[in-house]
Amino acid sequence: MGEETGANRSGGLSTAEGGVAIAAAPFGSAEMLVSRVRALRGPNYWRLAPVIACDVRLGALERATSAELPDFCDRLLAFLPSLREHLCVGGASGDFAEALTSGAELTFVLERVALELQKLVGCDVSFGRVVHSGDTGVWWVIVAYDEEDVGLDAMHDAVLIVRACIDGAPLEVGALVADLQDTYERSRLGPSTAAIVEEARRRGIPVRRLNSRSLVQLGLGRNLRRIQATISENTGSIAVEIAQNKEDTKRVLSNIGLPVPLGGAVRSLEHAIELANEIGYPVILKPIDSSHGRGISGRLDSPDALPDAWELARVVSLGVLVEHFHTGRDHRVLVVNGRTVACAERVPAHVVGDGERTIRELIDAANRDPRRGAGHRKILTHLPNDERTVAFLAKHALSLDSVPLVGERVSLRGTANLSTGGTSIDRTDEMHPDNVTACEMAAAIVGLDIAGIDVLTADISVPFRDNGAVLLEVNAAPGIRMHTHPTEGRSRNAAGPIVDMLYPPGTDATVPILAVTGTNGKTTTVRLLAHLFRNTGHHVGFTTTDGVYIHDRLVMEGDMTGPFAANIILSNPTIDVAVLETARGGILRSGLGFDECDVGIVLNVAADHLGLRGINTVEQLADAKSVIPAVVKREGHAVLNADDALVYAMREKTGGDVVLFTACSWAENPRVVEHLARGGIAVCIDDGQFTVRRGTLRIPIATEREVPLMLGGAARFQRQNVLAAIAAAYARGMRYDDVRAGLLSFFPSAVQSPGRLNIIPLRNGARAIVDYAHNPPAIAGLVDLIRRMPARRRVGIVTVPGDRRDDDIREAGRLCAGFDHVIIKEDRDLRGREPGGIAALLREGLAQSGRNGGSVETIPSAQVAIERGMALVGQDDLLIILAEKVPQTLAAIRAYAVNRE
C-alpha cells in the first residue's frame, strides 16, 4: 500500500448498486488528504488490540458535515445500503443513518465506512475512533481489524467511497467489496489452523502468524511451537513421506496385519489392466501421491473403463495404484499423539431429488445454503458443477438436466472429500474399541503425531476383521473441519488434543517478558536486568537503542526498541527471559511486539519527543507509555516510579500487582507509605541503602556506595534505574543475594553498558565520559554528576537530536553552561533541521545562561570535535561527550585511551 490514498478508481456504478452521479459538492474531495495508512499489530496508544490508523487532513471540508454536502447521505446509503442498519458504539440499529442525515463529521463517516466494509466480507469488528492529533488540521482515524490486508484495503476503499460521495462521482462499490472479499478469503487462516489458533488463544497462548498462509507460531521463546495446519514441528519428515506415498503406506500397514485393499503400483496402462484382471473387478485407480481426492477414479467394472481413469490419474502422478474396489461407508479417524480423538463418516457430494427440479437446479439450490462456500471458506463447500460432475453423472446414465425421483439420492463425485462438496456425520462414540486400537496402530507405524486414517467399512461399530473393512490411507496434515463442524452429530474439539500434545498440562507456553519504558534510563535498566538474570543462569534476550542482543551477543545493531526487535527475541527458541526496551516511537508507529508482559516498568515521564506524531504534551506522552502497565498480566507486576505523579497515576490502568519505587526513604513519600500500609511492595533508599519493603518486612540489598553504577553515590540519576531493576527482579522471585551479586558486578563500562556513563581514562591524564544524554532531564542529571566529580576543567562536546522542540534544545544549551568549555557538534542526521540550526539554538541557550564568547565553539564534525576536545584537556580534566552515535563515538575516543582494547 502507498502512504497516501490516490485518486478514485475508474468505472461506472451499476443500477443494482444504487449509484447515482449528481452535481458536485461545493467542496471537492481533493481537500481530503489521507496519509500514513498503517497497521498497528499489537497493543497501542488507542487500543490494546490491533488497529488500522491513518492521518486525515480535511482542509476546507473540516467545516462541512455530511448534512451540508449536497446529496452526500443519499449517495453513501446507495453505495452501501447496509449502513442503514449500521450500529454506532453503544447505539441502536440504524442510529448511524440518523447521525448521517443530522450531520456527521467526515472523519467519523470514514471510520464507519471502513468498519462496514470489513463487516460485509465477514470480519467481526466494531471498534473505531476519531481523535484530533494535536497537529493543526490533522485527525487520526482508527478502526479495528481481523485480517491486516483486509483492514488496510478497507481503509483505502472507504476513502474512495467518501470521496465519490463528496464529488458525486460514479464508483463500482460492488467491485470493491468483491475484491475485498477475495482478499479476506486469501488472507484468513484455513479452518484447521484457525481451530487450533482459537483453542490456543482460549488458553492464553500467544499466537504469531509467520506467513500469509497457515504457518503459525504458538508460544514464545524457548516454549514456542510451530504448526502449519495440522502439521506440527514434531511431525517427522519420513512419516510425511510414507503418508504421501500410498504404496508405502499400504506396505507398512499390511506389515503389521492391518487390512488394506488388494492391489499394487503400476507404471503403464498395460500393467494396470494386467493387475486389474489378476485381483478381479471392480477396481479403482489412484495416483500414488495425491490428496483431496484428486485423480481418483470411481468404480471400474471392466478393462474398457481403465484408459480414461488411467489418464485422469496420470495427470496428478507418474505412479498409479490399482486396487480392488471395496464397498462400504467412508470414514475419517483422527489420531493425535497416539490417541483416537474423533471419527466422522464422510458422505460424497450429492443431491436428493424432489421429482420436479433437475440435478443442475438442485445443485444451485444447495449452493445457496449460507453454510456453503468456495473452498474452505464456510462450514461446507459448494457442490461441484463442472466437467468432472458431468463425466461422473454420464457414467450413471445421467446429466445435469436429469430430474431425479422424489427421495432419490444422486452422487456428484465418487469420493467423499469435503473439499469437493461432501458432508460429514460424527461417529466418534460409535467406534468399536478394536477399531480404535487399529487406527492408533496405523498412525504409530507410519510415525505421524497427527494422522487422519481413511477407513472403508459398512459399520464403524463392528470390528474391522468381522466386516471386511479396509484402511485406505493414512494422511499427514488431516483437515479437522469435518470433526469441528460436522453436518450431522456432535461437534468435536479436535484442536484441543493437538494443543494438549504441544503443551501438556503444566507446561509453560511463554517466557517471562520484562518491558521497560520511560523518558530516561531505559537502556541502562534493560542492561542491568539482563545482567541480573544472566547471572542466575538464564538465557536472556534483550533489546535496546543500541541493538538486539541474544546471550549477550549483538545480533542486530541500531535503535531496536519497537515491535520488530521484540519479535526477534520472542521468536528465538533459545531464550527463556526477554527484557525489552519499549520506546514511545514504536508504540505510536506499530504498537507493541507482544500482547502481555509479566513485568511492566515505567521509569519516568519528562518532556521529550514532544511535537512528534501528535504527542504535544507530557500528559499525552504519559498516556502513550501507560500502554506498558496496561498490558501487564493479572498475575504480573507493574513497577512504577512513586516520585513521578504521571507514572504513579498509571497504577489505575494495570491489572497486575503494583510495585512502587522511590529515590528517597519510604517514610518521605506518602504514596509509598500508603502502599506499604496496604501490604504492597516498594523499593526505596533507607539510610543510603537500597531496600525492599513489603508491608513491615524490610530487606536490605546494597548500599549506594557499593553499587558500581552509582559511582560512589555521585550518580544520583542512576537511582531510578537501580531501584526499578531491584523491584522487577524481586517481583520475578529472584533471591536477594542474587540481586545483590548482580548489582555489585555490573559496571557502567563500554562493554556492559555502552554509551551510558562510560568513564574512559585517557593517556594524557584526563578522563572522558561518554553518555547518551539527549534531552534536558538526562543532561541535567549528567551535569549534576559532573559537578560532583573532582576535576580541574570540564569540557563538553554537546548536541541534541534535531527532532526536539526549539525550547527543548535551548534548555539543553542552558544546562550545558555548567561546563567550563563547550564544543557544539551536529549529527549527520539532522532529523529535519537545516545545517547549523541545532547549533544556533544551543548557542542561544548557552547565552541565556551567560556562556558565550571564547568558551563556546561550533564544530559540526563529531570526529573533529573530539580531536579539538582532546587538545583542550589534560591532567585531571574531564571531557564529556554527549553521544548520538555511540559505537562511533566510543571507537573515536578509544584511540586516546590508556587501554585501547
Side-chain angles (χ1 to χ4, degrees):
M1 290 294 176
E3 277 289 293
E4 187 166 306
T5 301
N8 293 347
R9 298 177 186 173
S10 62
L13 181 68
S14 68
T15 304
E17 291 160 347
V20 287
I22 308 177
F27 303 112
S29 67
E31 293 285 333
M32 183 172 70
L33 299 177
V34 178
S35 59
R36 297 181 59 239
V37 180
R38 59 204 183 273
L40 288 79
R41 299 187 179 106
N44 54 76
Y45 183 51
W46 300 286
R47 184 181 184 230
L48 299 182
V51 297
I52 302 295
C54 64
D55 297 355
V56 180
R57 293 170 175 83
L58 293 175
L61 287 168
E62 192 159 352
R63 302 190 300 274
T65 67
S66 58
E68 295 165 338
L69 296 172
D71 300 312
F72 180 91
C73 301
D74 291 339
R75 293 183 194 123
L76 183 58
L77 294 175
F79 279 148
L80 292 172
S82 58
L83 282 173
R84 297 181 185 277
E85 302 302 319
H86 185 90
L87 299 176
C88 293
V89 177
S93 176
D95 61 356
F96 173 70
E98 181 179 341
L100 197 63
T101 54
S102 299
E105 302 291 338
L106 292 183
T107 47
F108 175 66
V109 175
L110 181 63
E111 169 221 309
R112 291 289 115 185
V113 172
L115 286 172
E116 185 65 18
L117 287 171
Q118 292 186 75
K119 289 180 178 180
L120 286 174
V121 300
C123 296
D124 183 15
V125 292
S126 59
F127 174 87
R129 285 183 65 186
V130 175
V131 183
H132 194 274
S133 72
D135 296 332
T136 303
V138 180
W139 297 83
W140 287 325
V141 175
I142 303 105
V143 298
Y145 73 85
D146 278 347
E147 298 293 339
E148 182 176 320
D149 288 346
V150 175
L152 290 168
D153 285 357
M155 183 62 79
H156 284 280
D157 289 346
V159 173
L160 295 177
I161 291 170
V162 172
R163 281 178 169 169
C165 291
I166 293 171
D167 294 335
L171 185 66
E172 289 280 0
V173 175
L176 293 181
V177 174
D179 287 347
L180 200 62
Q181 184 74 59
D182 288 341
T183 300
Y184 176 63
E185 301 302 344
R186 286 195 311 270
S187 58
R188 70 170 177 159
L189 293 170
S192 296
T193 312
I196 297 170
V197 164
E198 181 181 351
E199 178 67 17
R201 285 180 170 148
R202 187 183 66 79
R203 301 184 188 193
I205 297 173
V207 175
R208 292 167 179 259
R209 196 163 178 180
L210 301 180
N211 65 10
S212 60
R213 295 176 295 280
S214 296
L215 184 61
V216 172
Q217 174 184 316
L218 307 180
L220 303 172
R222 69 180 299 175
N223 295 317
L224 69 82
R225 307 286 186 268
R226 296 187 184 95
I227 61 165
Q228 183 160 284
T230 56
I231 290 280
S232 84
E233 62 180 29
N234 299 319
T235 302
S237 57
I238 292 178
V240 172
E241 286 203 13
I242 293 173
Q244 288 177 338
N245 188 296
K246 293 179 174 61
E247 183 181 19
D248 288 347
T249 302
K250 282 183 60 177
R251 184 175 293 112
V252 297
L253 295 181
S254 63
N255 285 345
I256 61 171
L258 293 175
V260 296
L262 289 175
V266 295
R267 297 290 175 179
S268 67
L269 175 60
E270 292 74 19
H271 190 192
I273 294 173
E274 180 181 336
L275 183 57
N277 291 332
E278 180 182 332
I279 62 177
Y281 291 92
V283 296
I284 187 171
L285 267 59
K286 302 177 182 178
I288 280 181
D289 51 4
S290 72
S291 60
H292 301 295
R294 291 188 295 267
I296 299 178
S297 73
R299 171 176 173 149
L300 306 173
D301 292 303
S302 70
D304 295 339
L306 264 65
D308 289 344
W310 174 263
E311 293 302 324
L312 178 66
R314 290 280 289 185
V315 170
V316 178
S317 173
L318 293 176
V320 177
L321 278 179
V322 178
E323 292 181 346
H324 183 73
F325 182 86
H326 289 262
T327 59
R329 296 177 179 176
D330 190 320
H331 295 77
R332 167 63 64 82
V333 180
L334 180 65
V335 178
V336 178
N337 201 25
R339 296 187 60 186
T340 298
V341 299
C343 174
E345 179 185 345
R346 299 184 299 177
V347 181
H350 66 278
V351 293
V352 178
D354 60 6
E356 298 179 0
R357 289 178 291 181
T358 65
I359 294 174
R360 187 194 316 274
E361 291 171 333
L362 291 170
I363 291 173
D364 291 342
N367 285 341
R368 288 193 289 271
D369 184 337
R371 296 177 300 168
R372 289 191 181 273
H376 294 295
R377 295 179 181 181
K378 301 287 185 69
I379 295 172
L380 298 173
T381 300
H382 280 148
L383 292 179
N385 184 355
D386 54 17
E387 292 181 359
R388 289 186 61 189
T389 306
V390 172
F392 183 82
L393 291 172
K395 291 179 180 179
H396 298 82
L398 295 170
S399 73
L400 289 172
D401 295 321
S402 300
V403 178
L405 300 174
V406 175
E408 181 184 357
R409 193 171 95 167
V410 178
S411 293
L412 306 175
R413 281 288 193 275
T415 57
N417 298 78
L418 267 65
S419 58
T420 55
T423 56
S424 63
I425 304 169
D426 178 64
R427 301 293 188 191
T428 306
D429 294 333
E430 300 173 29
M431 283 192 75
H432 192 279
D434 289 355
N435 297 344
V436 169
T437 300
C439 290
E440 291 170 355
M441 288 174 62
I445 193 62
V446 172
L448 289 171
D449 55 345
I450 305 170
I453 317 298
D454 289 347
V455 179
L456 201 62
T457 178
D459 188 345
I460 198 72
S461 66
V462 176
F464 295 156
R465 62 180 177 274
D466 293 342
N467 66 356
V470 289
L471 276 62
L472 300 176
E473 295 181 20
V474 178
N475 297 276
I480 60 175
R481 179 176 59 153
M482 68 187 76
H483 306 298
T484 58
H485 295 87
T487 314
E488 298 178 32
R490 177 182 167 187
S491 174
R492 302 289 170 172
N493 180 15
I498 295 174
V499 178
D500 285 340
M501 177 187 70
L502 298 172
Y503 294 102
T507 302
D508 289 330
T510 64
V511 296
I513 298 175
L514 293 82
V516 182
T517 194
T519 301
N520 291 308
K522 299 186 293 294
T523 297
T524 299
T525 304
V526 165
R527 286 184 170 277
L528 176 55
L529 278 168
H531 176 75
L532 292 175
F533 281 98
R534 190 167 52 250
N535 270 12
T536 54
H538 289 282
H539 297 284
V540 184
F542 64 96
T543 64
T544 72
T545 51
D546 306 324
V548 178
Y549 293 79
I550 294 176
H551 308 315
D552 215 26
R553 292 186 177 182
L554 178 65
V555 297
M556 184 171 291
E557 188 174 348
D559 187 349
M560 294 289 170
T561 56
F564 174 72
N567 184 65
I568 294 174
I569 297 298
L570 298 175
S571 298
N572 188 292
T574 68
I575 295 302
D576 61 17
V577 174
V579 188
L580 307 176
E581 181 173 342
T582 310
R584 162 211 61 89
I587 295 173
L588 293 173
R589 284 192 303 270
S590 306
L592 298 180
F594 47 89
D595 297 327
E596 297 179 309
C597 62
D598 298 88
V599 180
I601 302 167
V602 187
L603 296 168
N604 43 61
V605 178
D608 191 23
H609 295 285
L610 299 183
L612 298 175
R613 298 189 181 276
I615 302 299
N616 298 295
T617 68
V618 179
E619 289 74 21
Q620 287 178 316
L621 183 60
D623 281 342
K625 294 183 180 297
S626 70
V627 174
I628 292 299
V631 300
V632 170
K633 296 176 181 177
R634 299 192 69 84
E635 65 274 19
H637 297 83
V639 175
L640 305 177
N641 185 349
D643 298 331
D644 187 318
L646 290 172
V647 176
Y648 179 69
M650 296 179 192
R651 73 195 188 285
E652 302 295 337
K653 295 190 175 183
T654 186
D657 290 336
V658 173
V659 180
L660 297 180
F661 65 88
T662 175
C664 59
S665 171
W666 70 276
E668 296 174 14
N669 188 315
R671 296 165 181 159
V672 174
V673 171
E674 179 185 357
H675 184 66
L676 291 174
R678 296 197 303 268
I681 303 170
V683 183
C684 53
I685 301 176
D686 291 342
D687 299 323
Q689 191 166 49
F690 292 107
T691 305
V692 177
R693 286 185 173 270
R694 184 168 196 164
T696 58
L697 178 65
R698 176 180 180 275
I699 307 166
I701 302 296
T703 66
E704 286 188 90
R705 290 184 173 277
E706 289 179 296
V707 177
L709 209 56
M710 295 301 301
L711 297 182
R716 295 190 295 186
F717 66 89
Q718 296 279 31
R719 287 174 171 173
Q720 291 182 356
N721 306 330
V722 176
L723 289 162
I726 293 172
Y730 177 81
R732 287 301 306 165
M734 190 177 295
R735 291 159 46 104
Y736 319 132
D737 54 346
D738 288 333
V739 176
R740 174 182 170 82
L743 291 178
L744 300 188
S745 58
F746 185 79
F747 296 85
S749 67
V751 174
Q752 287 189 312
S753 189
R756 271 65 184 177
L757 203 58
N758 303 153
I759 301 177
I760 302 171
L762 304 175
R763 293 196 303 278
N764 61 4
R767 288 175 294 168
I769 297 179
V770 179
D771 194 86
Y772 184 66
H774 57 287
N775 56 52
I779 294 171
L782 181 61
V783 170
D784 175 72
L785 167 65
I786 300 304
R787 287 172 175 165
R788 296 170 181 275
M789 296 179 68
R792 184 177 64 89
R793 193 171 187 225
R794 299 169 178 85
V795 176
I797 300 175
V798 305
T799 190
V800 176
D803 57 1
R804 271 45 172 189
R805 299 177 303 176
D806 289 358
D807 287 345
D808 294 332
I809 297 176
R810 291 190 189 96
E811 176 62 17
R814 285 192 288 270
L815 291 166
C816 289
F819 301 138
D820 299 310
H821 190 97
V822 178
I823 301 171
I824 301 172
K825 67 180 179 70
E826 286 191 336
D827 295 307
R828 290 183 181 178
D829 182 5
L830 299 177
R831 304 193 188 189
R833 298 271 182 182
E834 292 296 322
I838 299 171
L841 291 169
L842 287 170
R843 277 186 174 273
E844 287 181 28
L846 285 160
Q848 290 169 6
S849 294
R851 179 56 57 83
N852 48 35
S855 63
V856 178
E857 54 185 307
T858 300
I859 303 176
S861 166
Q863 179 63 40
V864 177
I866 291 174
E867 292 172 0
R868 172 60 177 161
M870 286 301 304
L872 292 173
V873 297
Q875 187 69 39
D876 298 328
D877 288 341
L878 288 176
L879 177 63
I880 303 99
I881 306 172
L882 304 189
E884 175 70 8
K885 304 296 183 184
V886 171
Q888 294 89 329
T889 302
L890 289 172
I893 204 66
R894 284 193 186 103
Y896 303 95
V898 171
N899 184 353
R900 296 191 185 189
E901 296 299 324

